[in-house]
């Protein structure tokens, strides 16, 4: 790092400090994150395949679920493979360009997911609380518009932030106290006035996390209120269990994002920043396939049908 020419950004290399230098910890983390990444990829890719191939899953809810799985497959792959290589080889360096690209792709995908989760909660709200109007509102064109809007907001918000960040001058030694190239750890390395970009980051983080979070929570509160009116105790408990699981997952996702990007950076929060980041970068993509889809009766039926077809094919 000492020989890097910090005036020429093509020569700049950062060091991702990750979770520390203890060798025994690196081996344990490599094993843990390898298992998590494998399960995450298998679960999400399986859902994408089922949604695409099974005609019974060609509905708005599964259209959004398939896109959620696609998002999480992509943004998990933006972080975990690079981290696994670092844990395995000990090489923690990443170029300036690689760092910016990682931040940009991850930022776009996570911002898009914030809005997609709120769209999915609105879809469930209409299906459960306004069933007579559901077919008229959630038509194919409206679903595509909602999904496109989520992507467009994600691209616009992160493109502005990344453009400003790429123009900042950076100074040595270039050690990023994180396991991926995130906004705050990178900004700390700049040797210029970062108040403008920090303010822009705060505003965009607020706009991209709080409104979707409030819409999601409001939708699920309305859903749970409607469920409590169901006369059958068994059906009420089943529906409440599913919706409460959804609410726990999205609250954890949004909550950790809000803690990392919006709350004042006290010493305690700075120390716990990496722990909170694990929730929305690693754990949420792992549990979403289980919570949203693989517990679902229609998805289980589609999975059994797919396995049966595969077994028949192998016997030929």
């Amino acid at each position: 790092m000492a020989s890097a020419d910090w005036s020429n950004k093509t020569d700049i290399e950062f060091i991702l400090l990750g979770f520390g230098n203890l060798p025994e910890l690196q081996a344990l983390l490599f094993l843990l994150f390898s298992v998590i990444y494998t399960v995450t990829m298998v679960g999400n890719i399986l859902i994408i395949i089922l949604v695409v191939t099974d005609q019974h899953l060609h509905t708005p809810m599964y259209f959004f679920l398939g896109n959620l799985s696609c998002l999480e497959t992509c943004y998990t792959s933006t972080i975990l493979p690079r981290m696994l290589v670092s844990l395995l080889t000990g090489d923690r360096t990443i170029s300036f360009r690689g760092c910016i690209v990682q931040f940009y792709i991850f930022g776009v995908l996570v911002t898009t997911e914030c809005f997609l989760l709120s769209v999915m909660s609105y879809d469930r709200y209409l299906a459960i609380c306004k069933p007579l109007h559901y077919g008229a509102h959630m038509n194919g064109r409206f679903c595509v518009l909602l999904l496109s809007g989520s992507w467009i907001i994600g691209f616009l918000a992160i493109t502005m932030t990344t453009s400003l960040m790429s123009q900042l001058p950076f100074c040595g030694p270039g050690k990023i106290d994180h396991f991926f190239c995130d906004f705050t750890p990178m900004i700390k390395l700049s040797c210029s006035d970062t108040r403008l970009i920090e303010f822009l980051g705060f505003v965009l983080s607020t706009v991209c996390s709080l409104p979707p979070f409030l819409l999601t929570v409001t939708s699920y509160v309305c859903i749970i209120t409607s469920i409590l009116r169901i006369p059958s105790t068994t059906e009420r408990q089943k529906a409440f269990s599913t919706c409460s699981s959804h609410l726990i997952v999205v609250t954890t996702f949004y909550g950790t994002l809000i803690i990392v990007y919006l709350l004042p950076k006290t010493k305690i929060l700075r120390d716990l920043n990496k722990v909170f980041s694990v929730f929305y970068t690693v754990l949420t993509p792992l549990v979403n396939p289980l919570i949203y889809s693989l517990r679902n009766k229609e998805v289980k039926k589609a999975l059994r049908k797919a396995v049966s077809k595969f077994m028949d094919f192998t016997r030929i």
Side-chain angles (χ1 to χ4, degrees):
M1 293 299 297
S3 61
D5 180 9
W6 288 91
S7 63
N8 184 359
K9 290 181 180 177
T10 59
D11 294 335
I12 296 177
E13 284 190 337
F14 296 124
I15 298 175
L16 293 168
L17 297 181
F19 296 96
N21 286 313
L22 297 175
E24 61 275 13
L25 182 63
Q26 307 305 301
L28 179 62
L29 288 175
F30 176 79
L31 180 61
L32 175 63
F33 285 121
S34 295
V35 172
I36 289 175
Y37 183 59
T38 303
V39 174
T40 300
M41 294 298 289
V42 170
N44 281 295
I45 292 173
L46 180 60
I47 289 170
I48 295 170
I49 293 172
L50 290 176
V51 169
V52 170
T53 59
D54 196 298
Q55 292 291 328
H56 295 94
L57 300 183
H58 291 181
T59 63
M61 181 178 79
Y62 295 108
F63 171 72
F64 293 131
L65 282 173
N67 279 278
L68 176 68
S69 292
C70 184
L71 268 176
E72 295 190 328
T73 299
C74 292
Y75 88 64
T76 302
S77 298
T78 305
I79 291 177
L80 281 183
R82 176 69 185 76
M83 184 169 68
L84 289 173
V85 170
S86 296
L87 291 170
L88 185 64
T89 65
D91 181 12
R92 302 182 183 185
T93 59
I94 182 170
S95 67
F96 172 80
R97 184 175 298 172
C99 213
I100 288 291
V101 169
Q102 186 187 59
F103 169 76
Y104 180 72
I105 295 174
F106 176 75
V108 168
L109 295 172
V110 170
T111 305
T112 302
E113 178 161 339
C114 283
F115 287 92
L116 181 58
L117 287 174
S118 66
V119 166
M120 290 168 62
S121 68
Y122 178 67
D123 171 73
R124 291 299 82 205
Y125 163 76
L126 286 179
I128 295 172
C129 302
K130 308 282 184 181
L132 298 178
H133 303 283
Y134 182 75
H137 283 86
M138 276 296 171
N139 54 57
R141 181 173 177 273
F142 187 56
C143 290
V144 172
L145 284 174
L146 289 173
L147 180 65
S148 301
S150 300
W151 276 100
I152 289 169
I153 294 171
F155 274 113
L156 290 177
I158 302 303
T159 298
M160 286 189 288
T161 307
T162 308
S163 297
L164 287 175
M165 183 183 290
S166 63
Q167 296 172 25
L168 292 175
F170 289 90
C171 305
K175 294 181 179 179
I176 299 177
D177 189 16
H178 215 313
F179 57 88
F180 70 100
C181 296
D182 203 4
F183 179 77
T184 302
M186 284 190 68
I187 291 299
K188 287 181 180 177
L189 302 183
S190 176
C191 45
S192 64
D193 187 353
T194 60
R195 284 177 293 182
L196 175 61
I197 190 172
E198 287 183 62
F199 177 72
L200 176 64
F202 176 78
V203 170
L204 291 176
S205 298
T206 303
V207 171
C208 294
S209 58
L210 279 182
F213 172 65
L214 294 175
L215 176 60
T216 302
V217 171
T218 302
S219 297
Y220 277 113
V221 168
C222 294
I223 290 169
I224 292 171
T225 302
S226 296
I227 288 171
L228 293 176
R229 299 195 190 104
I230 298 174
S232 171
T233 304
T234 304
E235 291 298 318
R236 187 167 63 241
Q237 288 176 343
K238 187 184 297 184
F240 182 78
S241 171
T242 301
C243 287
S244 61
S245 299
H246 293 182
L247 187 58
I248 289 170
V249 170
V250 297
T251 301
T252 302
F253 175 77
Y254 286 118
T256 50
L257 280 177
I258 290 169
I259 290 171
V260 171
Y261 294 107
L262 297 186
L263 294 187
K265 298 298 182 286
T266 62
K267 185 181 185 305
I268 295 177
L269 286 181
R270 280 197 300 270
D271 294 340
L272 294 175
N273 202 38
K274 279 185 277 190
V275 176
F276 289 129
S277 296
V278 169
F279 280 93
Y280 68 86
T281 59
V282 178
L283 296 184
T284 301
L286 173 68
V287 300
N288 268 347
L290 303 174
I291 295 296
Y292 277 103
S293 299
L294 298 181
R295 291 175 59 192
N296 186 288
K297 191 182 296 183
E298 291 181 350
V299 174
K300 287 180 180 178
K301 183 179 177 181
L303 181 58
R304 283 195 295 268
K305 189 190 299 184
V307 171
S308 177
K309 287 183 178 179
F310 178 76
M311 295 301 292
D312 292 339
F313 176 77
T314 56
R315 293 194 190 102
I316 297 176

